[in-house]
Each structure stands twice: as C-alpha cells, then as structure tokens.
Amino acid sequence: NSSSISSCCSNSSSSGSTWRVVSKLRDPQVEVCSGRLVSLQEVSFMTDLKLMGVMRQCVDSIHFRWFAGRSIWDFKAEGTKRLTLPPPFEFLNELLAALVSVAERTMLRGETLAVIQLIINRFKDGGDEVKPHKHRCRQVCLSLGAERELNVEGHVQLMRHGDCMPLNNETHSVPPAKSVGKPRVSVCLFYGSTKEYADVSISVNANDGWHGSSIWWEHPEDFQRPQWEHPADSRRSRTRR
C-alpha cells in the first residue's frame, strides 16, 4: 500500500483560481535565480532551530523507502498553489510555505505557480548519493544537515544547512562523499506554471513512462509498466496508482 508514502495534499483552491499565496519571505521581492544558492534562514522566517526540528523528524520517519542510492519519500499535488499536509505530516507545513514562496519568486511575469510534487531524500551518511539526472519542470531543493556537494551541469557547489537551490531542467547530482559521517535530508519542491500543468508539458520524470506514466515520479514498487501505451495517453495520465 503506497498511501503512507505518497500522500494526497490538501488545498484550498483550484489551479484556475485567482487566489494568491501570501509570501513567507522577509523580502517578498527578493531575487531568486536558477542555479544560484539561497539561504532559507536569510530570506525567510525559518530559523536554524525550526529547520533542525524538521530534519530530526525526517531522519526518524518510517515513511522512507530505498531508491537509487538513498531513501526517498514523496507527496503528490495536482497543480495547486500551495501544499498543506495532513497529520502526521503537518510538521512540514511551515517549511513548505516558505519553499512555495521561494518558488513563486522564480515565476515569469504572467505565470501562476502550479505545484506537482514534493520529494524528500534522506542520506544516512556520505555513502548515499543521487546520480546525475534532470526533470522536465522547475524545482527548489533545500538541504538540511551535513554539508554535501551538488553538481549542476558540471559546476560543483557546496550546500550547507538551510541552503536552497532553484533549478530549471539542469542536470544535477549529489556525488558520494565517504568522509561525511553525518546524515543529510533534502526537501525538493517540483512545480511549473498553471499553463504548463494544463498543457501536460511538465513532469518530474525526465522521460515518459520511466518512473510512471503521469506527471509525477513514482516509486518502482508502486508502478507497473504497461506492455504498450500510446505516448500521448501516457503523458496525459494523471491517475494515482
């Protein structure tokens, strides 16, 4: 049963609404650019204490499953402007509100935010890794805990506790670091515009059908690939499995 892993997110508006998220940033007009690190403690009201509390609960969570070099846990959304997770996951909600506000600062003029998935990665130590990959959507990824290097298109940056990295289709990875003996958690928010969501032109997956036939990444334990499916039908499938 995947319901305890991929949980449905509640929301108070449809993607077609004119309702707007209230910014959770100190400066609602702060500049956020793809590929440039942002300190969440500096731009939002999330303190070191609050971030460490989120990390401890993630490290102790039973909801993770092993996948491709690290443990992973996800929540799916349907093009909403925010995420509000139900109990017992509400400890993430203040952090998610801050990440949504960071994501809004990456939107182009005239675009409206459409959140599609939250993925949390847990690294027990430097031996866990994320291999090079990319997504057909935008993302903001927050690092908690141990410092780790992030390779973005061949450019290596050190992510410290509280650092956020906005990305837009770039190939990226977290290489192994055998000298790191402490845990790390990354909280990654995936999104696009409401138009991209309506057009089904975005996906967390780099390729159709590889990790599910929907806009969401799906754990291999939850996904059984059909023998054949028309690519157009595959891209437009939004039914949870």
Side-chain angles (χ1 to χ4, degrees), residues 119-135:
I119 292 180
I120 306 174
N121 299 289
R122 182 175 64 189
F123 306 76
K124 68 179 184 300
D125 53 34
D128 288 359
E129 63 178 314
V130 177
K131 298 183 184 301
H133 67 289
K134 62 182 178 178
H135 309 278

Side-chain angles (χ1 to χ4, degrees), residues 4 21 56 62 69 85 118 124 126 143 186 197 201 205 221 226 237:
S4 63
V21 174
R56 280 193 291 268
I62 63 172
L85 304 183
L118 174 73
K124 68 179 184 300
S143 184
S186 65
Y197 179 78
S201 61
N205 303 306
E221 292 178 3
S237 173

Side-chain angles (χ1 to χ4, degrees), residues 1-196:
N1 187 344
S2 65
S3 61
S4 63
I5 303 297
S6 302
S7 303
C8 181
C9 306
S10 64
N11 65 87
S12 60
S13 67
S14 66
S15 58
S17 170
T18 58
W19 178 82
R20 185 172 177 80
V21 174
V22 176
S23 178
K24 301 298 182 181
L25 304 182
R26 297 179 187 272
D27 177 6
Q29 302 303 314
V30 64
E31 183 179 4
V32 179
C33 301
S34 179
R36 184 187 301 175
L37 285 175
V38 175
S39 169
L40 197 63
Q41 298 97 314
E42 291 181 4
V43 302
S44 79
F45 298 98
M46 293 299 296
T47 63
D48 277 334
L49 185 62
K50 290 179 179 179
L51 293 177
M52 286 304 300
V54 171
M55 182 189 168
R56 280 193 291 268
Q57 293 201 61
C58 287
V59 167
D60 294 338
S61 175
I62 63 172
H63 298 292
F64 286 89
R65 292 184 287 182
W66 185 255
F67 174 75
R70 80 284 195 191
S71 299
I72 197 166
W73 176 23
D74 81 285
F75 298 85
K76 298 174 175 65
E78 297 183 343
T80 55
K81 294 184 180 70
R82 68 173 181 177
L83 297 184
T84 303
L85 304 183
F89 313 115
E90 70 274 19
F91 70 91
L92 288 163
N93 284 337
E94 185 177 4
L95 173 59
L96 293 180
L99 292 180
V100 164
S101 291
V102 172
E104 281 211 316
R105 295 301 304 147
T106 70
M107 305 303 290
L108 301 177
R109 185 181 299 275
E111 288 186 327
T112 301
L113 181 73
V115 177
I116 57 176
Q117 194 161 16
L118 174 73
I119 292 180
I120 306 174
N121 299 289
R122 182 175 64 189
F123 306 76
K124 68 179 184 300
D125 53 34
D128 288 359
E129 63 178 314
V130 177
K131 298 183 184 301
H133 67 289
K134 62 182 178 178
H135 309 278
R136 287 178 294 154
C137 63
R138 286 168 267 189
Q139 72 179 103
V140 172
C141 199
L142 169 71
S143 184
L144 300 175
E147 296 180 355
R148 292 290 296 269
E149 290 184 341
L150 177 69
N151 188 318
V152 180
E153 298 284 352
H155 180 59
V156 177
Q157 300 190 56
L158 182 65
M159 292 194 74
R160 297 178 172 87
H161 178 70
D163 281 348
C164 281
M165 175 62 80
L167 294 172
N168 187 2
N169 302 114
E170 296 94 340
T171 298
H172 55 283
S173 64
V174 179
K178 299 298 184 182
S179 62
V180 176
K182 295 182 179 180
R184 173 184 183 258
V185 169
S186 65
V187 183
C188 301
L189 185 76
F190 296 90
Y191 61 94
S193 69
T194 50
K195 183 180 186 304
E196 290 171 326

Side-chain angles (χ1 to χ4, degrees), residues 77-79 115-117 136-137 196-197 200-205 211-218 234-238:
E78 297 183 343
V115 177
I116 57 176
Q117 194 161 16
R136 287 178 294 154
C137 63
E196 290 171 326
Y197 179 78
V200 202
S201 61
I202 54 173
S203 175
V204 178
N205 303 306
H211 287 297
S213 57
S214 70
I215 61 172
W216 303 300
W217 173 88
E218 297 178 79
S234 174
R235 289 181 66 245
R236 294 185 178 277
S237 173
R238 286 191 177 131

